[in-house]
Amino acid sequence: MPYYPETTVILGSTRIIREYKLPPNAIGRAEVNNGSTVAPDTVLLAGAIPSEVIFLDAVKLLGLRSAAQITEEMLQVPVGEVYESGVPLLINGKGRRAKKVVTPRRARFASLEAGRVLLQTDPQPVEVRALMEGRINSVSENRVVLETGGALIQAAWGNGSANYGTLSFAKEETTREWLGLEDLEDSGQVVVVEESIQTSAVFKEAIQKRWRGIIAPSMSSALRNEARQLRIPVILTEGFGNLRYSAIVYNLLETNRGRFTTVDAVEPSVWRSERPEIIIPTGPSARLRLPETNVPVVAGATIRVTRLPHMGRTAKVLNLPESPVTVENGLRVAAAEVQFSDNSEIAFVPLANVELIGRPLDAPSRPQS
Amino acid sequence: MTAQTKAPETKSGRQKAPSTRLARETIQRQPVETAVRRVVAADIGSVHTRVALYDLVEGQFRLVGRAQALTTAAPRGYDVSEGLRRALEELGAFSGLSFLSADREQRLLMGEEYGNTFIATASGGKPIRTILVGLMPNVSLESGKRALESTYIELVDTLDLLDVRTLEQQVNAILRATPDLILIVGGTDSGANAPVRALIDTVRIAVQLAPGAKPIVLYAGNAALASYVREQLDDHVVLYVTENVRPSLERESFDPIRLELALLYGDYRARTTPGFKTIQEASALGVLPSIESYSNIVRYLADSKKQNVLLVDVGSSTVTVCAMVRGALNVTIRSDLGLGHSAVSAAEAIGVRNIARWLSFEPAPNEIMDYVWNKTLRPATIPETSRELELEYALARELIRAVMQTSRQGWQGVPPSAPLPPMQPIIGVGSAIAQPINPAIGALLLLDALQPLGIVDLRLDPYGVMAAMGSLMHLEPLAVVQVLETGGLLNLATAICPSGKPRGNIALEARVTYADGHSREVRVPSNTLKVVPIPAGQKAQVSVKLGRGLRLNGKRRLTFQAQSSAAGLIFDTRGRPFMVPRELSRRAEILPKWFEAVQETD
């Protein structure tokens, strides 16, 4: 029976459609129109996240004895609107001796009930930027869909940040010794670190040299909190531990050296569908194909292995045996017989440990006429 | 056996899906006469969606086919019904029956008109973020917490009368927590109203101010305030009102609230998981939480045999214990423990050192945390190297130990530090236990983690039968009895676990006499395990004589009957309680020996 593994897209040229949303607790709207072309720093959505709620004791502030004594006449402004600091909301009496309830800072007057004024204090502004060139192909109140084309590498983990810059490699940066770059100068570069990150020295270097992002194959899980505190994106293509790059990922990065690159290092959650991604956009093109997802693994498919001992290796599926196969540790599992791309070795790998990469390696990125 | 509650009608009841109303009515009426003949059961876990087909074979219900596919909830896809369709397609191919329409839409062909009854349970998905609001921490809040143990929730905050936070701080805490569910308990049915009203007002203010999706509110407090709750909250939230979980100081009433939580779980998932509603509407009972089904079966087994029963489910995102002890049902779900989705929080809760004590090697710095992080990133993957398998089994043992520690806090009349009381049977669920290298390894994991005493039947549920049968119990209890009695659960082993500390080289001598008359003698050294098979379909008489320091059910000599099972008889002479050696060199020697011992039969 067909087995539908996960797909982790690793393609040199594909159609890319991405949805942008405001955070769930934000109130705001789209700032772009359908069909418009956007640049990396274009603001797609803008809004605000309501901050703390504060309660003001109106009975006490108005010099009353009970909530029942508050009358319509005391209300100076409509409920539900946002007011600047110092605006009187309720007044009891006239002249200099009048008692007032005043906004302590910019806030929304949420309600007046049981003698209490409820204020939602100054909302925090929030903006969602495009981070890459593209064309808007759908807009709704709090959601924008952008389309572009280019290379796409879905990764394993990200630290929750996003940015863009020129793709460069740490090795060459070290030899260059940052000639001419002052500490405060933006390097403009998203840097590919060749080895697994096992100490925080890389983070210090990134701060000092003003990198715009870090791409690494893997990292010690002990450094996760430090990585999350960085303001630039850190993205791991393989996972945690001391793992090397998949050849397919490294080769794709290398062929795009010097190109504009977007790193969306969203921190993956097992309950969300967003994944950390490296996008090397070339602009929208209707001639590019979307990646294939939700497809079964079949003979001839290109797969990538997601567990040791073959972690990260790509292979071509030769055969899908109907009976379970015993693997190295003795488990009998449904497996695929595969031939690895790097050395033509043939082996069985558990189906649970394979993923598709969006398209067979030899498949064209454009539809065949 | 099951809840006989009648939930008060609410205005918001009108908003609920028809399947939910059907579920409520069906459950309340049960047991009912049904024309159930063929049952298709689905259990949607975090990693796998399992389906099973039960049909009449020679007048008896039997498990006749099963299949599974990866669950297609995020991040794998967007529609959870897609995974169900894939599993049903496979089941259809095995059975020659059609469960999906032939068109592109692939509709679920379920229900009377298609000659089957479809039931569905679920355990997967993001736990429901819950705030518990009640009066007194040791009274209503305690009851509320125990009620919440019956479903898949993450308790993010509690509010009570002794809370030192101001009203403003409480409202902000609720807003910051962005709960999916607020459970309000508190007040006995003849108690004071004012404190409960104040809590209800706090909740109302918070939900009014909450931006975006509003939480569900379930009220299970002072019955006299039910109409006040509706008046205050019904316009702002989806409101459920049920009977008071603590109608008096002396009495707790869990069945009504547990039923309501079960139904609410299905509704919550339908609101938040694409495709879930399709399944909910096709199912005769909506989608019930798997734990509700486990409870039904455990209660049935315990009542029918008048014995304690223990079920342990080690899943990817949750670990669950369902135990019937001294006539009381105890349910514990730990959403922070799991072998996949929750592997990181599990390792943090358990501690790396506790996991490492089950390893025969010294893990590299961060190796265990790196391992669990990768498991969380790719929860469906399986260990392929021996080193990773050892890590997986170590984690599984500690997960069981951790959830048992939590569960045993609530077992009435059994001190948490006392040995595990007699359980007959112990049932293991979850792929690490149910689908190991060899059935005996599954048994070893249960023995290591639980350290049971006496003569214990160990059973496995490799096909997700427990979840399906527990649901079916609402419709056709007879079918459930027949499936359970005809091998629905796999007889894994009969474990012979003496108490005490073995002294001397030989801890146990036994004579196993098979039904065909032949017999064999067994001498088991101290501190080891020994497996003696019983051929399929046979029974054996086992006479045991124990060495110095050991007792079995308080005796030195004992004779009993044992049935055939996948692993056979397992003589465990490690004594109780036993400790894994702290020194790595001793562990490296002893752990592989235990591992090999249960796989060796002669």
Side-chain angles (χ1 to χ4, degrees):
Chain A
M1 287 307 295
Y3 177 78
Y4 292 77
E6 286 194 44
T7 299
T8 293
V9 180
I10 304 166
L11 294 173
S13 187
T14 186
R15 196 169 162 199
I16 300 164
I17 297 174
R18 288 294 170 268
E19 182 185 65
Y20 296 72
K21 277 180 171 178
L22 283 168
N25 53 348
I27 301 159
R29 61 171 192 271
E31 298 284 314
V32 288
N33 297 319
N34 205 358
S36 58
T37 302
V38 296
D41 58 355
T42 304
V43 174
L44 303 181
L45 295 142
I49 300 172
S51 192
E52 298 278 283
V53 174
I54 55 172
F55 287 33
L56 301 178
D57 187 344
V59 175
K60 193 174 165 189
L61 292 167
L62 295 172
L64 304 172
R65 276 177 297 183
S66 73
Q69 291 178 293
I70 299 175
T71 62
E72 281 283 318
E73 291 74 46
M74 294 178 189
L75 199 60
Q76 302 298 302
V77 292
V79 175
E81 300 297 317
V82 174
Y83 300 103
E84 296 302 323
S85 172
V87 173
L89 304 176
L90 291 146
I91 298 180
N92 181 22
K94 288 182 179 169
R96 291 174 60 193
R97 304 189 107 189
K99 307 269 188 188
K100 296 176 185 175
V101 178
V102 175
T103 48
R105 53 183 186 266
R106 188 171 190 270
R108 179 175 168 266
F109 184 4
S111 70
L112 168 64
E113 61 156 73
R116 288 182 298 245
V117 168
L118 273 63
L119 299 175
Q120 285 175 299
T121 57
D122 198 20
Q124 301 299 305
V126 57
E127 287 181 345
V128 178
R129 291 175 191 271
L131 300 175
M132 57 188 163
E133 280 180 22
R135 189 177 54 236
I136 304 302
N137 70 9
S138 168
V139 175
S140 64
E141 193 178 338
N142 59 358
R143 174 180 165 273
V144 167
V145 177
L146 180 148
E147 179 173 342
T148 191
L152 172 61
I153 300 169
Q154 292 190 321
W157 186 82
N159 68 341
S161 294
N163 208 342
Y164 52 83
T166 307
L167 192 66
S168 61
F169 284 68
K171 214 162 40 180
E172 61 201 46
E173 299 305 339
T174 311
T175 54
R176 216 163 54 119
E177 289 181 345
W178 302 93
L179 292 175
L181 270 182
E182 297 296 330
D183 275 0
L184 295 176
E185 197 173 335
D186 178 7
S187 74
Q189 287 169 326
V190 168
V191 177
V192 178
V193 176
E194 303 263 343
E195 304 287 334
S196 173
I197 302 173
Q198 295 297 309
T199 72
S200 57
V202 173
F203 302 152
K204 292 183 181 119
E205 189 179 358
I207 293 166
Q208 189 199 341
K209 296 176 178 173
R210 297 269 159 176
W211 294 353
R212 284 197 173 182
I214 301 172
I215 298 171
S218 58
M219 181 179 82
S220 164
S221 59
L223 296 171
R224 199 176 48 87
N225 283 337
E226 275 184 76
R228 289 175 74 183
Q229 282 163 16
L230 287 179
R231 289 187 177 183
I232 58 167
V234 178
I235 203 163
L236 308 179
T237 61
E238 314 300 319
F240 289 96
N242 197 352
L243 306 169
R244 290 188 297 179
Y245 282 110
S246 291
I248 185 174
V249 170
Y250 188 81
N251 293 342
L252 196 47
L253 291 170
E254 203 167 46
T255 54
N256 284 286
R257 183 192 297 256
R259 302 271 296 273
F260 176 94
T261 300
T262 301
V263 180
D264 185 6
V266 60
E267 189 167 3
S269 158
V270 287
W271 309 122
R272 286 204 316 256
S273 55
E274 293 91 348
R275 300 188 61 169
E277 292 179 331
I278 303 163
I279 297 172
I280 301 151
T282 52
S285 166
R287 296 188 61 207
L288 287 175
R289 290 166 62 192
L290 282 168
E292 293 167 2
T293 55
N294 283 331
V295 291
V297 61
V298 292
T302 302
I303 57 102
R304 191 167 77 137
V305 185
T306 54
R307 287 288 289 254
L308 293 171
H310 301 297
M311 173 105 192
R313 293 175 77 185
T314 50
K316 187 172 190 172
V317 176
L318 300 177
N319 185 24
L320 292 160
E322 285 193 5
S323 303
V325 171
T326 303
V327 293
E328 181 196 309
N329 59 20
L331 283 175
R332 276 183 66 74
V333 293
E337 187 180 18
V338 302
Q339 183 165 35
F340 290 106
S341 310
D342 48 8
N343 63 0
S344 300
E345 178 196 352
I346 293 175
F348 285 98
V349 290
L351 281 176
N353 296 350
V354 306
E355 60 185 15
L356 296 170
I357 60 165
R359 202 175 294 147
L361 273 181
D362 48 6
S365 58
R366 293 166 191 271
Q368 300 297 284
S369 53
Chain B
M1 291 279 294
T2 52
Q4 294 292 327
T5 167
K6 183 167 170 51
E9 283 182 15
T10 68
K11 269 201 280 176
S12 51
R14 288 195 298 270
Q15 302 166 31
K16 289 174 196 134
S19 60
T20 301
R21 291 200 300 278
L22 172 65
R24 191 192 307 272
E25 286 155 14
T26 312
I27 292 169
Q28 283 165 8
R29 285 203 315 268
Q30 65 78 37
V32 291
E33 286 296 318
T34 68
V36 172
R37 286 295 171 267
R38 177 183 295 148
V39 177
V40 181
D43 184 42
I44 303 154
S46 295
V47 172
H48 290 114
T49 295
R50 293 187 171 88
V51 292
L53 176 65
Y54 302 89
D55 212 340
L56 280 172
V57 178
E58 295 169 357
Q60 285 220 319
F61 267 97
R62 298 273 172 92
L63 171 67
V64 294
R66 66 188 181 90
Q68 71 175 34
L70 285 178
T71 296
T72 46
R76 295 188 191 93
Y78 297 102
D79 189 329
V80 75
S81 67
E82 191 57 37
L84 175 65
R85 287 190 179 89
R86 288 170 189 167
L88 286 173
E89 205 174 346
E90 193 174 338
L91 189 67
F94 287 148
S95 62
L97 298 166
S98 295
F99 304 112
L100 301 167
S101 65
D103 54 14
R104 206 175 155 176
E105 211 181 323
Q106 286 200 300
R107 280 176 296 106
L108 304 179
L109 305 181
M110 298 295 175
E112 229 171 83
E113 65 267 44
Y114 300 107
N116 62 46
T117 301
F118 176 56
I119 50 176
T121 54
S123 60
K126 187 181 173 189
I128 305 173
R129 287 175 65 80
T130 303
I131 289 182
L132 176 60
V133 179
L135 286 185
M136 300 304 293
N138 295 331
V139 187
S140 53
L141 274 188
E142 202 51 45
S143 303
K145 276 182 189 164
R146 288 189 58 201
L148 286 171
E149 283 170 358
S150 69
T151 193
Y152 303 98
I153 65 111
E154 178 191 2
L155 190 60
V156 290
D157 203 351
T158 54
L159 270 64
D160 60 60
L161 274 189
L162 305 185
D163 198 324
V164 294
R165 292 175 291 187
T166 63
L167 173 63
E168 185 179 294
Q169 288 168 330
Q170 288 182 343
V171 168
N172 279 313
I174 295 175
L175 291 173
R176 268 195 300 272
T178 59
D180 305 309
L181 167 68
I182 300 176
L183 170 60
I184 307 173
V185 294
T188 54
D189 282 348
S190 53
N193 290 350
V196 187
R197 277 176 187 257
L199 290 170
I200 294 164
D201 290 345
T202 306
V203 170
R204 177 185 50 77
I205 292 168
V207 296
Q208 270 181 302
L209 295 172
K214 308 284 186 189
I216 296 168
V217 174
L218 169 58
Y219 179 73
N222 183 344
L225 288 174
S227 56
Y228 181 75
V229 169
R230 287 188 199 108
E231 195 181 288
Q232 293 293 305
L233 295 171
D234 214 5
D235 291 339
H236 307 294
V237 296
V238 175
L239 177 66
Y240 291 69
V241 179
T242 189
E243 290 174 28
N244 194 347
V245 69
R246 194 82 183 228
S248 68
L249 282 176
E250 300 76 28
R251 196 165 76 85
E252 291 176 299
S253 171
F254 288 116
D255 281 348
I257 189 171
R258 281 181 176 153
L259 170 60
E260 211 65 28
L261 283 166
L263 299 174
L264 180 154
Y265 170 80
D267 280 0
Y268 167 76
R269 293 293 308 276
R271 282 172 57 179
T272 55
T273 311
F276 204 86
K277 198 165 184 181
T278 308
I279 302 172
Q280 196 184 35
E281 287 172 353
S283 167
L285 296 169
V287 181
L288 297 174
S290 307
I291 185 61
E292 208 263 345
S293 295
Y294 292 166
S295 303
N296 287 343
I297 296 289
V298 166
R299 226 184 317 217
Y300 162 75
L301 291 172
D303 286 349
S304 60
K305 297 187 175 175
K306 305 282 178 242
Q307 284 175 319
N308 298 331
V309 174
L310 176 66
L311 174 140
V312 185
D313 179 3
V314 181
S316 176
S317 58
T318 56
V319 179
T320 304
V321 163
C322 188
M324 194 80 171
V325 183
R326 295 181 164 204
L329 182 71
N330 298 271
V331 175
T332 304
I333 301 168
R334 291 271 306 258
S335 300
D336 62 331
L337 302 181
L339 271 176
H341 293 70
S342 304
V344 170
S345 51
E348 285 169 352
I350 292 164
V352 166
R353 284 176 65 179
N354 284 327
I355 298 168
R357 70 200 179 112
W358 293 104
L359 299 176
S360 63
F361 59 87
E362 181 68 34
N366 293 317
E367 182 176 357
I368 293 175
M369 286 313 292
D370 289 342
Y371 177 82
V372 293
W373 264 102
N374 288 328
K375 276 289 289 190
T376 297
L377 293 176
R378 299 180 176 104
T381 59
I382 55 173
E384 205 174 332
T385 64
S386 299
R387 191 175 176 96
E388 288 200 335
L389 187 63
E390 207 174 322
L391 271 167
E392 186 97 345
Y393 287 162
L395 184 57
R397 290 172 175 113
E398 282 300 316
L399 291 175
I400 298 171
R401 286 168 55 85
V403 74
M404 285 298 289
Q405 274 175 11
T406 309
S407 180
R408 292 193 58 174
Q409 307 288 331
W411 292 10
Q412 300 291 319
V414 184
S417 56
L420 188 72
M423 295 286 174
Q424 204 63 290
I426 292 173
I427 304 162
V429 186
S431 55
I433 307 173
Q435 288 155 357
I437 295 178
N438 172 315
I441 298 293
L444 177 66
L445 297 180
L446 289 172
L447 294 175
D448 284 351
L450 296 168
Q451 299 204 14
L453 284 172
I455 299 156
V456 192
D457 286 335
L458 302 177
R459 295 197 189 161
L460 288 184
D461 182 16
Y463 315 129
V465 165
M466 294 288 288
M469 291 298 101
S471 280
L472 189 59
M473 201 158 246
H474 292 301
L475 297 176
E476 187 55 83
L478 179 64
V480 178
V481 175
Q482 289 174 348
V483 170
L484 291 176
E485 289 180 356
T486 54
L489 293 175
L490 176 71
N491 282 339
L492 174 61
T494 300
I496 298 96
C497 309
S499 59
K501 294 277 172 217
R503 284 176 287 174
N505 290 337
I506 298 299
L508 181 151
E509 292 175 81
R511 170 187 283 269
V512 181
T513 308
Y514 298 100
D516 62 6
H518 89 274
S519 64
R520 60 178 292 185
E521 306 282 341
V522 184
R523 283 161 64 85
V524 188
S526 299
N527 299 310
T528 190
L529 298 112
K530 171 85 182 166
V531 173
V532 176
I534 301 178
Q538 281 205 32
K539 283 185 177 175
Q541 181 171 287
V542 185
S543 297
V544 179
K545 181 183 160 197
L546 294 155
R548 284 191 301 139
L550 293 178
R551 292 285 184 277
L552 201 53
N553 296 348
K555 297 173 184 168
R556 279 198 67 190
R557 288 172 181 270
L558 199 69
T559 299
F560 63 93
Q561 292 276 333
Q563 286 191 333
S564 63
S565 53
L569 295 164
I570 300 180
F571 295 98
D572 182 348
T573 60
R574 296 177 294 179
R576 294 290 185 272
F578 70 84
M579 303 286 283
V580 186
R582 281 187 182 180
E583 311 79 45
L584 178 62
S585 57
R586 282 280 295 137
R587 280 208 314 270
E589 184 191 337
I590 208 165
L591 287 172
K593 275 188 182 166
W594 292 349
F595 202 74
E596 283 157 22
V598 292
Q599 296 184 84
E600 276 174 8
T601 51
D602 48 25

